[in-house]
Amino acid sequence: MHGFSSGSEEQVFAFAGIATAVLDGRGAVVRCSDAAAELAGRTAAEVRGRPITALLAEGCRSAEHHFGLPASGRAKLRHRAGGSVEVAFRVLQTEAASESLVLVAPTQRVTDWEQGASVLRALLSQDRVGIGMHDVDLTLLWTNISSEMFDGVTLSRGSRLTDVLTQADAAVVEAALRHVLETGEPLICQNLHLWLPRDRERPLAVSLSAFRVEDIHGAPSGVVTMVTDTPEQQRARQRRSVLHDAADRIGRSLDVRRSAQDLLDVLIPEFADMGWVELAEAVLTGDEPPRILGGGELHLRRAAMASPYGPDTALLQLGEPVPRLPFTVELGEVQSGRPVLLEPEKVSLVLGDSAHQRLFLPEGGHSGVWAPLFARGLILGSVTVWRTEQPNPFEPDDADLMGEVASRAALNVDNARRYARERRVALTLQRRLLPSATTDTAAAKTAGVYLPAGGGAGIGGDWYDVISLPSFRVALVAGDVVGHGLNAAAAMGSLRTAVRTLADLEFDPSELLSHLDDLVQQLSDGTDAESLIGATCLYAVYDPVSRLCTVAGAGHPPPVVIGPEGTTEVLRLSPGPPLGVGGMPFEATTVELAPGSLVALYTNGLIERGDGDVDAGLRRLSESLAASYDPDCPLNETGRALLAGFEDTPPRDDVALLLARIRAVPEQCVAYWEFAADPAAVAEARQAVTRQLTAWDLDEAAFATELIVSELITNAVRYAGGPVGLRLIREDALVCEVTDPSNTQPRLRRARLTDEGGRGLFLVAQLSSRWGSRYGQTGKTIWAEQPLIPETVNLTALI
């Protein structure tokens, strides 16, 4: 065709990735390009005639727009092979109102176009970066260089370097560009001093970079040049070096004093010869500094000093408070967040007293800069540097550089301050939430140890707990919330409270973890990252009467048991998923424990070291337990001995350790009977209880116990059927248990004066210190606990 030029089919075409389709008034595909059909993994014939909405993946259809599509946007096409293909599209109306043209391209390609265009726009909009495109003859094809950029130099399309430079300089530059064209090696930041024919007084200092452009066959088609202005290159290099060091070295520590020292290490000796940092006393303790304006008492302390020539003992030393200062214009500038230049004569005049001068003026200091550590609207302190050996005085742009570096350092100091505060608060919260370090019950004697993480990891959500259950049983708990900081500690408090609440309902360990898993899923609403909770938990219930321990775990490491003879065993549990995963069951494991056994529950920080070998960590823990095992040694000392290995190398994660020395109720302190579902069983039970209490020398408890047994046995016979079990347990209290085959929940109520019944559980509640019920595999058990020294019972109140 006349007026058009044809290109190679292999030539890259900007629109090659765009597919097209024509839709009729109902939204059906009238015709489409092969590329459009291929996006869905189909042929054009298969796509033709189908509604466009039928080709969209679920969730991308909307009745609010024409054909289910807005005028432009992104969507997902269903692919024949399964899955979906993300595309960007635009709907255009044609002359025929009943038809629409849809332009479609893969989302990634459109994103690449957009990003490429954005990068190019950003680059070309810079007023100090000159870009030129030259062909293989080095003729200028395109440039953004204007007369305002490089001392009035103007380049136009079709010109050559000889049009603006001297013949000698143009030859040098063209030789460098031809080398780039021939070899493909880029030219990076070559500093040049070029003379302009119209200006023979001073050269034009520029930095030149060049890159070869290739066609689709890899042959050179031209060269792109980038020119930047470089006045006073030495000072610019120094600024770049300081800023590079600041970016690399500032922010590596979450310690306030270390952060202050890092700032000085960046500035000295590259930028200045000596300096110091002064911080507010509140910042050093993690609190916000007071908002102080003017002179007087500034509540600052010297936090860091640096000098390659050794310390100057006449200056204010580390840790010393900054004395009162008079208000000056310079102090006002710093308190407003702006750096200022310092002259020794003016500083001496302001300070007056010679002794005062020696605290702030180093010997030989001829020029200084004073900059604030200003972050989030707060003055955290200030940094001061002096030149004593470097001859050049500081200039205004040096003060600007100092302010920029100080601003970066101030953010890190503030982060370190906030970290220290959060760590202190989280540690206090966590220690308040943890139970007493030691407990002593009929089932076990326990001791807990908590060790926070080191190395800047912060406080975590590790916890342990000991929960006394009815019938002298005890629940041992260890858990770990994922993450660190105040959120983890707060989540730990919520989970510990939930475990205690569920334990009071006397759920089986596997059932308790299922309820706890549901709770974690509810707490993790998923609206933001901070709301997500991940945790592990180990829950064990030990019965000192049966000597059985039932354990269930949710993604938690198993307990370690040391027998009375010193043998070590890792309890192998049925693995359960971490809390919050959902959809997976938890299984309980029951083992018999001999009296005197030592049980260790812990979090993964105790066994996970840098090698990541959990099995090796379990072996180390077992060996340490065996080595430190001593039946006569207090448990808290055993716990400290186990954690002694972390004295030199703090753990990378928190460590919570719970040790429990198992006890058992002697057989002679337990009595059990079983009765048929016969009203006569009530009298038999009363007689059996009376005889047993007499044998235990507890005749004073007979009256209340007989009433409790009568009421509970009567209810079981009347409402539940048989057989009915009765058990008495004597320890530091007297527990009466009645077991029946019914799963009906007992309910306490107050009977009216005219009621003939309904006072049974009310009497039990009044005669015992506490009572309740729990469910087993078949039936339930109602229990009542009395102190061994019974309280006086007001019989009138029971009527």
Side-chain angles (χ1 to χ4, degrees):
M1 296 177 62
H2 296 291
F4 293 90
S5 62
S6 61
S8 171
E9 293 182 357
E10 297 178 343
Q11 185 177 358
V12 176
F13 183 49
F15 299 146
I18 296 180
T20 60
V22 177
L23 310 181
D24 62 16
R26 297 172 301 167
V29 178
V30 177
R31 51 192 174 275
C32 67
S33 64
D34 291 338
E38 289 172 0
L39 285 175
R42 308 171 188 275
T43 65
E46 292 174 325
V47 173
R48 195 177 303 117
R50 300 186 63 178
I52 188 65
T53 54
L55 299 175
L56 297 178
E58 293 295 332
C60 292
R61 305 172 187 175
S62 173
E64 298 177 1
H65 305 289
H66 189 49
F67 306 141
L69 295 175
S72 62
R74 300 190 177 187
K76 292 183 179 181
L77 293 179
R78 288 192 298 111
H79 198 274
R80 165 178 282 179
S84 59
V85 179
E86 293 189 3
V87 297
F89 65 90
R90 184 164 187 176
V91 181
L92 303 175
Q93 294 297 324
T94 62
E95 279 189 12
S98 60
E99 291 185 347
S100 300
L101 175 64
V102 181
L103 305 180
V104 186
T107 300
Q108 184 59 50
R109 178 164 296 186
V110 175
T111 301
D112 291 344
W113 291 340
E114 293 174 347
Q115 292 176 347
S118 298
V119 170
L120 187 58
R121 282 195 302 270
L123 188 60
L124 297 181
S125 64
Q126 303 301 312
D127 59 359
R128 303 309 301 172
V129 179
I131 300 175
M133 178 65 189
H134 304 258
D135 62 14
V136 292
D137 294 326
L138 300 184
T139 300
L140 186 65
L141 301 177
W142 179 93
T143 185
N144 72 331
I145 297 177
S146 62
S147 58
E148 295 80 19
M149 295 178 66
F150 299 105
D151 293 340
V153 175
T154 302
L155 291 174
S156 59
R157 297 181 183 182
S159 63
R160 298 178 62 90
L161 294 177
T162 53
D163 297 333
V164 293
L165 301 177
T166 63
Q167 292 292 333
D169 287 341
V172 171
V173 175
E174 289 189 349
L177 298 183
R178 287 195 179 92
H179 180 77
V180 173
L181 277 169
E182 293 169 359
T183 65
E185 297 177 1
L187 180 68
I188 305 296
C189 296
Q190 179 174 336
N191 293 328
L192 300 173
H193 287 75
L194 305 176
W195 295 92
L196 305 178
R198 59 177 173 78
D199 187 0
R200 294 287 185 172
E201 296 182 359
R202 59 186 178 89
L204 177 66
V206 297
S207 176
L208 175 66
S209 299
F211 312 91
R212 187 171 76 178
V213 179
E214 300 175 349
D215 61 19
I216 194 171
H217 301 290
S221 60
V223 62
V224 173
T225 59
M226 295 180 61
V227 181
T228 55
D229 198 1
T230 58
E232 301 180 1
Q233 286 292 317
Q234 185 176 2
R235 290 177 58 82
R237 280 195 298 271
Q238 183 190 51
R239 290 176 59 87
R240 287 195 299 269
S241 176
V242 171
L243 291 175
H244 179 271
D245 287 348
D248 182 57
R249 303 174 68 173
I250 294 177
R252 295 182 298 181
S253 173
L254 285 175
D255 179 79
V256 171
R257 289 179 173 83
R258 181 66 258 175
S259 299
Q261 190 64 50
D262 288 342
L263 169 60
L264 291 180
D265 292 342
V266 168
L267 298 173
I268 297 168
E270 177 73 19
F271 182 71
D273 295 314
M274 67 177 311
W276 53 80
V277 174
E278 293 161 347
L279 296 176
E281 294 174 349
V283 172
L284 295 172
T285 59
D287 297 321
E288 286 193 358
R291 298 179 182 272
I292 297 177
L293 295 177
E297 180 60 58
L298 301 181
H299 302 284
L300 299 173
R301 287 187 179 271
R302 189 149 291 183
M305 298 181 68
S307 172
Y309 312 109
D312 188 340
T313 56
L315 293 171
L316 195 69
Q317 298 301 299
L318 287 177
E320 293 183 354
V322 175
R324 296 175 63 87
L325 294 177
F327 180 75
T328 63
V329 175
E330 290 77 11
L331 178 59
E333 290 287 309
V334 170
Q335 290 179 340
S336 299
R338 293 181 290 272
V340 296
L341 295 174
L342 298 176
E343 300 175 3
E345 297 79 9
K346 190 171 183 179
V347 174
S348 300
L349 182 63
V350 170
L351 294 177
D353 181 41
S354 59
H356 211 170
Q357 295 176 21
R358 287 296 301 130
L359 296 177
F360 297 97
L361 281 175
E363 184 177 356
H366 62 85
S367 181
V369 182
W370 186 17
L373 296 176
F374 188 79
R376 299 182 178 94
L378 300 174
I379 297 294
L380 309 177
S382 64
V383 55
T384 306
V385 296
W386 285 90
R387 284 180 176 171
T388 58
E389 301 295 330
Q390 298 183 37
N392 297 328
F394 288 117
E395 297 185 6
D397 60 341
D398 293 317
D400 294 338
L401 173 63
M402 178 85 160
E404 184 177 349
V405 175
S407 177
R408 185 190 299 262
L411 288 175
N412 187 63
V413 170
D414 192 53
N415 288 337
R417 175 193 67 80
R418 297 170 71 183
Y419 166 77
R421 181 184 62 183
E422 181 172 323
R423 179 181 172 86
R424 184 180 70 242
V425 172
L427 184 59
T428 302
L429 174 63
Q430 188 168 43
R431 287 176 173 168
R432 290 287 183 90
L433 291 174
L434 289 176
S436 173
T438 59
T439 64
D440 194 349
T441 66
K445 187 172 185 178
T446 67
V449 182
Y450 172 74
L451 183 64
I459 303 302
D462 295 29
W463 90 93
Y464 59 83
D465 206 351
V466 180
I467 307 172
S468 295
L469 299 176
S471 303
F472 306 110
R473 295 171 302 136
V474 65
L476 306 175
V477 190
D480 184 1
V481 175
V482 175
H484 296 88
L486 195 58
N487 289 331
M492 177 269 285
S494 300
L495 293 185
R496 178 173 176 258
T497 302
V499 170
R500 280 189 159 267
T501 302
L502 294 171
D504 193 51
L505 298 175
E506 300 196 62
F507 286 121
D508 175 85
S510 59
E511 189 176 359
L512 181 141
L513 290 182
S514 296
H515 286 288
L516 193 62
D517 182 60
D518 293 338
L519 175 63
V520 171
Q521 293 182 64
Q522 294 174 23
L523 293 177
S524 301
D525 56 20
T527 55
D528 54 70
E530 293 185 355
S531 69
L532 299 177
I533 298 177
T536 65
C537 184
L538 187 74
Y539 184 78
V541 175
Y542 172 68
D543 187 343
V545 177
S546 65
R547 303 178 184 178
L548 296 179
C549 182
T550 303
V551 190
H556 203 84
V560 179
V561 179
I562 297 183
E565 64 283 357
T567 59
T568 305
E569 177 187 6
V570 178
L571 294 185
R572 297 301 176 183
L573 309 179
S574 299
L579 298 174
V581 174
M584 298 291 289
F586 299 96
E587 297 184 22
T589 301
T590 301
V591 296
E592 184 174 355
L593 298 179
S597 298
L598 183 65
V599 180
L601 279 69
Y602 52 91
T603 54
N604 57 4
L606 185 60
I607 60 174
E608 291 184 356
R609 302 291 176 91
D611 54 12
D613 191 341
V614 176
D615 292 334
L618 275 174
R619 288 194 297 270
R620 286 193 298 266
L621 175 60
S622 300
E623 293 169 359
S624 299
L625 275 171
S628 60
Y629 176 74
D630 183 356
D632 300 323
C633 179
L635 289 179
N636 53 359
E637 294 184 11
T638 302
R640 285 195 293 268
L642 287 174
L643 300 182
F646 293 111
E647 292 179 355
D648 298 328
T649 57
R652 300 174 62 183
D653 195 4
D654 292 42
V655 174
L657 173 65
L658 177 63
L659 299 176
R661 182 166 286 134
I662 298 302
R663 293 170 173 168
V665 175
E667 293 182 1
Q668 61 269 25
C669 293
V670 181
Y672 180 77
W673 304 271
E674 188 173 285
F675 304 98
D678 187 339
V682 177
E684 297 176 14
R686 292 170 65 108
Q687 294 171 6
V689 167
T690 301
R691 289 193 299 270
Q692 187 62 57
L693 293 179
T694 299
W696 284 343
D697 196 21
L698 293 177
D699 291 324
E700 69 276 7
F703 173 74
T705 306
E706 285 185 36
L707 282 178
I708 292 173
V709 169
S710 295
E711 295 300 333
L712 295 182
I713 295 290
T714 299
N715 286 344
V717 170
R718 180 177 299 174
Y719 302 112
V724 178
L726 171 62
R727 185 169 71 165
L728 291 182
I729 309 172
R730 176 194 176 185
E731 250 295 333
D732 54 356
L734 180 64
V735 174
C736 174
E737 296 180 343
V738 174
T739 303
D740 61 56
S742 172
N743 287 323
T744 304
Q745 172 70 37
R747 184 169 62 89
L748 178 66
R749 67 184 182 89
R750 181 180 292 274
R752 293 172 296 182
L753 293 176
T754 56
D755 289 345
E756 296 182 358
R759 297 178 176 84
L761 289 180
F762 181 72
L763 287 172
V764 172
Q766 295 297 316
L767 293 169
S768 58
S769 58
R770 59 175 184 159
W771 73 280
S773 65
R774 63 177 177 271
Y775 295 91
Q777 301 256 340
T778 58
K780 68 176 180 296
T781 298
I782 303 178
W783 55 270
E785 184 178 302
Q786 305 172 73
L788 286 182
I789 302 177
E791 300 176 355
T792 302
V793 178
N794 185 357
L795 295 178
T796 303
L798 303 182
I799 301 176

Short mmCIF file of all heavy atoms in Angstrom, two decimals, residues 458-501:
data_model
loop_
_atom_site.label_atom_id
_atom_site.label_comp_id
_atom_site.label_asym_id
_atom_site.label_seq_id
_atom_site.Cartn_x
_atom_site.Cartn_y
_atom_site.Cartn_z
N GLY A 458 12.88 -9.31 71.34
CA GLY A 458 11.75 -8.76 72.07
C GLY A 458 11.01 -9.80 72.87
O GLY A 458 11.32 -10.99 72.87
N ILE A 459 10.01 -9.33 73.62
CA ILE A 459 9.21 -10.19 74.46
C ILE A 459 8.20 -10.94 73.59
O ILE A 459 7.62 -10.40 72.68
CB ILE A 459 8.47 -9.36 75.53
CG1 ILE A 459 9.48 -8.56 76.35
CG2 ILE A 459 7.66 -10.27 76.43
CD1 ILE A 459 10.53 -9.38 77.03
N GLY A 460 8.02 -12.20 73.90
CA GLY A 460 7.10 -13.02 73.10
C GLY A 460 5.85 -13.39 73.87
O GLY A 460 5.52 -12.81 74.89
N GLY A 461 5.16 -14.41 73.36
CA GLY A 461 3.91 -14.83 73.95
C GLY A 461 3.99 -16.21 74.58
O GLY A 461 3.01 -16.95 74.58
N ASP A 462 5.15 -16.59 75.11
CA ASP A 462 5.29 -17.89 75.76
C ASP A 462 4.68 -17.84 77.16
O ASP A 462 4.81 -16.82 77.85
CB ASP A 462 6.77 -18.27 75.86
CG ASP A 462 7.41 -18.49 74.49
OD1 ASP A 462 6.95 -17.86 73.53
OD2 ASP A 462 8.35 -19.29 74.40
N TRP A 463 4.05 -18.92 77.56
CA TRP A 463 3.49 -18.96 78.91
C TRP A 463 3.40 -20.39 79.41
O TRP A 463 3.50 -21.35 78.65
CB TRP A 463 2.12 -18.28 78.94
CG TRP A 463 0.93 -19.16 78.68
CD1 TRP A 463 0.16 -19.80 79.60
CD2 TRP A 463 0.34 -19.47 77.40
NE1 TRP A 463 -0.86 -20.49 78.99
CE2 TRP A 463 -0.78 -20.30 77.64
CE3 TRP A 463 0.66 -19.13 76.09
CZ2 TRP A 463 -1.57 -20.79 76.61
CZ3 TRP A 463 -0.12 -19.62 75.06
CH2 TRP A 463 -1.22 -20.44 75.33
N TYR A 464 3.24 -20.50 80.72
CA TYR A 464 2.95 -21.77 81.38
C TYR A 464 1.87 -21.50 82.42
O TYR A 464 1.63 -20.34 82.81
CB TYR A 464 4.21 -22.36 82.03
CG TYR A 464 4.83 -21.46 83.07
CD1 TYR A 464 4.36 -21.42 84.39
CD2 TYR A 464 5.88 -20.62 82.74
CE1 TYR A 464 4.92 -20.59 85.33
CE2 TYR A 464 6.46 -19.78 83.68
CZ TYR A 464 5.97 -19.77 84.98
OH TYR A 464 6.52 -18.94 85.91
N ASP A 465 1.23 -22.53 82.87
CA ASP A 465 0.18 -22.35 83.86
C ASP A 465 -0.03 -23.65 84.61
O ASP A 465 0.22 -24.76 84.08
CB ASP A 465 -1.14 -21.91 83.20
CG ASP A 465 -2.02 -21.13 84.16
OD1 ASP A 465 -1.69 -21.07 85.37
OD2 ASP A 465 -3.02 -20.55 83.71
N VAL A 466 -0.48 -23.53 85.85
CA VAL A 466 -0.85 -24.66 86.70
C VAL A 466 -2.25 -24.38 87.22
O VAL A 466 -2.48 -23.36 87.88
CB VAL A 466 0.14 -24.84 87.87
CG1 VAL A 466 -0.27 -26.02 88.73
CG2 VAL A 466 1.56 -25.01 87.35
N ILE A 467 -3.20 -25.27 86.91
CA ILE A 467 -4.61 -25.04 87.24
C ILE A 467 -5.09 -26.18 88.13
O ILE A 467 -5.03 -27.36 87.74
CB ILE A 467 -5.47 -24.99 85.97
CG1 ILE A 467 -4.91 -23.95 84.98
CG2 ILE A 467 -6.92 -24.67 86.32
CD1 ILE A 467 -5.58 -23.98 83.63
N SER A 468 -5.53 -25.83 89.33
CA SER A 468 -6.08 -26.84 90.25
C SER A 468 -7.47 -27.21 89.79
O SER A 468 -8.33 -26.34 89.60
CB SER A 468 -6.11 -26.30 91.68
OG SER A 468 -4.79 -26.07 92.15
N LEU A 469 -7.71 -28.50 89.65
CA LEU A 469 -9.01 -29.03 89.24
C LEU A 469 -9.65 -29.79 90.39
O LEU A 469 -8.97 -30.19 91.34
CB LEU A 469 -8.84 -29.95 88.02
CG LEU A 469 -8.25 -29.30 86.76
CD1 LEU A 469 -8.05 -30.35 85.68
CD2 LEU A 469 -9.14 -28.17 86.26
N PRO A 470 -10.95 -30.01 90.32
CA PRO A 470 -11.63 -30.75 91.39
C PRO A 470 -11.05 -32.16 91.56
O PRO A 470 -10.41 -32.71 90.66
CB PRO A 470 -13.09 -30.80 90.91
CG PRO A 470 -13.22 -29.64 89.99
CD PRO A 470 -11.89 -29.50 89.32
N SER A 471 -11.30 -32.72 92.73
CA SER A 471 -10.86 -34.09 93.07
C SER A 471 -9.35 -34.19 93.07
O SER A 471 -8.78 -35.23 92.71
CB SER A 471 -11.48 -35.11 92.11
OG SER A 471 -12.89 -35.03 92.14
N PHE A 472 -8.67 -33.08 93.47
CA PHE A 472 -7.22 -33.02 93.65
C PHE A 472 -6.44 -33.17 92.35
O PHE A 472 -5.22 -33.33 92.38
CB PHE A 472 -6.76 -34.09 94.66
CG PHE A 472 -7.48 -34.03 95.97
CD1 PHE A 472 -8.39 -35.03 96.32
CD2 PHE A 472 -7.29 -32.97 96.83
CE1 PHE A 472 -9.07 -34.97 97.51
CE2 PHE A 472 -7.98 -32.91 98.04
CZ PHE A 472 -8.87 -33.91 98.38
N ARG A 473 -7.12 -33.11 91.21
CA ARG A 473 -6.41 -33.18 89.94
C ARG A 473 -5.75 -31.82 89.64
O ARG A 473 -6.09 -30.81 90.23
CB ARG A 473 -7.36 -33.57 88.81
CG ARG A 473 -7.95 -34.97 88.96
CD ARG A 473 -9.05 -35.24 87.97
NE ARG A 473 -10.12 -34.27 88.11
CZ ARG A 473 -10.72 -33.66 87.08
NH1 ARG A 473 -10.35 -33.94 85.84
NH2 ARG A 473 -11.67 -32.79 87.30
N VAL A 474 -4.83 -31.86 88.68
CA VAL A 474 -4.14 -30.64 88.31
C VAL A 474 -3.94 -30.63 86.79
O VAL A 474 -3.71 -31.68 86.19
CB VAL A 474 -2.77 -30.53 89.03
CG1 VAL A 474 -1.81 -31.62 88.58
CG2 VAL A 474 -2.13 -29.16 88.81
N ALA A 475 -4.07 -29.44 86.20
CA ALA A 475 -3.82 -29.25 84.78
C ALA A 475 -2.50 -28.51 84.62
O ALA A 475 -2.27 -27.48 85.28
CB ALA A 475 -4.95 -28.49 84.12
N LEU A 476 -1.62 -29.02 83.76
CA LEU A 476 -0.34 -28.40 83.45
C LEU A 476 -0.40 -27.89 82.02
O LEU A 476 -0.78 -28.63 81.10
CB LEU A 476 0.80 -29.40 83.60
CG LEU A 476 0.88 -30.12 84.95
CD1 LEU A 476 1.97 -31.18 84.92
CD2 LEU A 476 1.12 -29.13 86.08
N VAL A 477 -0.05 -26.62 81.83
CA VAL A 477 -0.22 -25.98 80.52
C VAL A 477 1.08 -25.30 80.11
O VAL A 477 1.77 -24.70 80.94
CB VAL A 477 -1.36 -24.94 80.54
CG1 VAL A 477 -1.68 -24.46 79.13
CG2 VAL A 477 -2.59 -25.49 81.22
N ALA A 478 1.41 -25.40 78.83
CA ALA A 478 2.49 -24.61 78.23
C ALA A 478 2.02 -24.16 76.86
O ALA A 478 1.38 -24.93 76.13
CB ALA A 478 3.78 -25.43 78.11
N GLY A 479 2.29 -22.92 76.51
CA GLY A 479 1.84 -22.39 75.22
C GLY A 479 2.79 -21.35 74.68
O GLY A 479 3.65 -20.82 75.39
N ASP A 480 2.64 -21.08 73.40
CA ASP A 480 3.53 -20.14 72.71
C ASP A 480 2.74 -19.44 71.61
O ASP A 480 2.26 -20.09 70.68
CB ASP A 480 4.72 -20.89 72.12
CG ASP A 480 5.74 -19.95 71.47
OD1 ASP A 480 5.53 -18.73 71.50
OD2 ASP A 480 6.74 -20.46 70.93
N VAL A 481 2.59 -18.12 71.73
CA VAL A 481 1.96 -17.31 70.69
C VAL A 481 3.02 -16.87 69.70
O VAL A 481 4.11 -16.42 70.08
CB VAL A 481 1.25 -16.07 71.30
CG1 VAL A 481 0.69 -15.18 70.20
CG2 VAL A 481 0.15 -16.51 72.24
N VAL A 482 2.73 -16.99 68.41
CA VAL A 482 3.68 -16.62 67.37
C VAL A 482 3.91 -15.10 67.41
O VAL A 482 2.96 -14.33 67.55
CB VAL A 482 3.18 -17.05 65.98
CG1 VAL A 482 4.12 -16.56 64.90
CG2 VAL A 482 3.03 -18.56 65.94
N GLY A 483 5.16 -14.70 67.27
CA GLY A 483 5.47 -13.27 67.22
C GLY A 483 6.06 -12.78 68.53
O GLY A 483 6.27 -13.53 69.49
N HIS A 484 6.36 -11.49 68.55
CA HIS A 484 6.96 -10.86 69.71
C HIS A 484 6.31 -9.51 69.95
O HIS A 484 5.63 -8.97 69.09
CB HIS A 484 8.47 -10.68 69.53
CG HIS A 484 9.23 -11.96 69.40
ND1 HIS A 484 9.42 -12.59 68.20
CD2 HIS A 484 9.83 -12.73 70.34
CE1 HIS A 484 10.11 -13.70 68.39
NE2 HIS A 484 10.37 -13.81 69.68
N GLY A 485 6.54 -8.98 71.13
CA GLY A 485 6.06 -7.64 71.43
C GLY A 485 4.77 -7.64 72.22
O GLY A 485 4.27 -8.67 72.69
N LEU A 486 4.21 -6.43 72.33
CA LEU A 486 3.03 -6.24 73.17
C LEU A 486 1.83 -7.02 72.65
O LEU A 486 1.04 -7.56 73.42
CB LEU A 486 2.71 -4.74 73.23
CG LEU A 486 1.74 -4.29 74.33
CD1 LEU A 486 2.25 -4.69 75.69
CD2 LEU A 486 1.55 -2.79 74.26
N ASN A 487 1.67 -7.10 71.33
CA ASN A 487 0.53 -7.84 70.77
C ASN A 487 0.60 -9.32 71.15
O ASN A 487 -0.41 -9.94 71.48
CB ASN A 487 0.48 -7.68 69.26
CG ASN A 487 0.08 -6.29 68.84
OD1 ASN A 487 -0.64 -5.61 69.55
ND2 ASN A 487 0.55 -5.85 67.68
N ALA A 488 1.80 -9.90 71.08
CA ALA A 488 1.96 -11.31 71.43
C ALA A 488 1.67 -11.53 72.91
O ALA A 488 1.02 -12.51 73.29
CB ALA A 488 3.37 -11.78 71.08
N ALA A 489 2.15 -10.60 73.76
CA ALA A 489 1.90 -10.75 75.20
C ALA A 489 0.40 -10.63 75.50
O ALA A 489 -0.13 -11.36 76.33
CB ALA A 489 2.69 -9.71 75.98
N ALA A 490 -0.28 -9.68 74.83
CA ALA A 490 -1.72 -9.53 75.05
C ALA A 490 -2.49 -10.75 74.57
O ALA A 490 -3.43 -11.22 75.22
CB ALA A 490 -2.22 -8.27 74.34
N ALA A 491 -2.09 -11.29 73.40
CA ALA A 491 -2.74 -12.50 72.89
C ALA A 491 -2.51 -13.67 73.85
O ALA A 491 -3.41 -14.49 74.08
CB ALA A 491 -2.22 -12.83 71.50
N MET A 492 -1.30 -13.74 74.41
CA MET A 492 -1.02 -14.78 75.38
C MET A 492 -1.95 -14.67 76.59
O MET A 492 -2.48 -15.67 77.08
CB MET A 492 0.43 -14.68 75.83
CG MET A 492 0.84 -15.69 76.92
SD MET A 492 0.61 -15.08 78.61
CE MET A 492 1.98 -13.97 78.75
N GLY A 493 -2.18 -13.45 77.07
CA GLY A 493 -3.09 -13.27 78.19
C GLY A 493 -4.51 -13.74 77.87
O GLY A 493 -5.17 -14.37 78.70
N SER A 494 -4.96 -13.45 76.64
CA SER A 494 -6.30 -13.89 76.25
C SER A 494 -6.39 -15.42 76.21
O SER A 494 -7.36 -16.01 76.69
CB SER A 494 -6.66 -13.31 74.87
OG SER A 494 -6.65 -11.90 74.90
N LEU A 495 -5.36 -16.06 75.64
CA LEU A 495 -5.40 -17.52 75.54
C LEU A 495 -5.28 -18.17 76.91
O LEU A 495 -5.93 -19.18 77.18
CB LEU A 495 -4.28 -18.00 74.62
CG LEU A 495 -4.41 -17.61 73.14
CD1 LEU A 495 -3.30 -18.23 72.32
CD2 LEU A 495 -5.77 -18.03 72.58
N ARG A 496 -4.44 -17.61 77.77
CA ARG A 496 -4.31 -18.20 79.11
C ARG A 496 -5.63 -18.09 79.87
O ARG A 496 -6.04 -19.05 80.56
CB ARG A 496 -3.20 -17.47 79.87
CG ARG A 496 -3.04 -17.99 81.30
CD ARG A 496 -1.83 -17.39 81.99
NE ARG A 496 -1.79 -17.85 83.36
CZ ARG A 496 -2.16 -17.13 84.41
NH1 ARG A 496 -2.59 -15.89 84.24
NH2 ARG A 496 -2.10 -17.63 85.63
N THR A 497 -6.30 -16.96 79.74
CA THR A 497 -7.61 -16.83 80.38
C THR A 497 -8.61 -17.82 79.81
O THR A 497 -9.41 -18.43 80.54
CB THR A 497 -8.13 -15.39 80.21
OG1 THR A 497 -7.19 -14.47 80.77
CG2 THR A 497 -9.47 -15.21 80.88
N ALA A 498 -8.58 -18.00 78.48
CA ALA A 498 -9.49 -18.94 77.85
C ALA A 498 -9.23 -20.36 78.32
O ALA A 498 -10.17 -21.13 78.58
CB ALA A 498 -9.37 -18.85 76.33
N VAL A 499 -7.95 -20.73 78.44
CA VAL A 499 -7.62 -22.08 78.91
C VAL A 499 -8.14 -22.29 80.33
O VAL A 499 -8.69 -23.35 80.65
CB VAL A 499 -6.10 -22.32 78.84
CG1 VAL A 499 -5.72 -23.61 79.54
CG2 VAL A 499 -5.64 -22.37 77.39
N ARG A 500 -7.98 -21.29 81.18
CA ARG A 500 -8.47 -21.43 82.55
C ARG A 500 -9.99 -21.57 82.58
O ARG A 500 -10.55 -22.35 83.36
CB ARG A 500 -8.03 -20.22 83.39
CG ARG A 500 -6.60 -20.32 83.86
CD ARG A 500 -6.23 -19.24 84.86
NE ARG A 500 -5.06 -19.64 85.63
CZ ARG A 500 -5.08 -20.26 86.80
NH1 ARG A 500 -6.26 -20.53 87.36
NH2 ARG A 500 -3.97 -20.59 87.41
N THR A 501 -10.67 -20.81 81.72
CA THR A 501 -12.13 -20.89 81.68
C THR A 501 -12.58 -22.26 81.19
O THR A 501 -13.49 -22.88 81.76
CB THR A 501 -12.69 -19.79 80.76
OG1 THR A 501 -12.27 -18.52 81.24
CG2 THR A 501 -14.20 -19.84 80.73
#
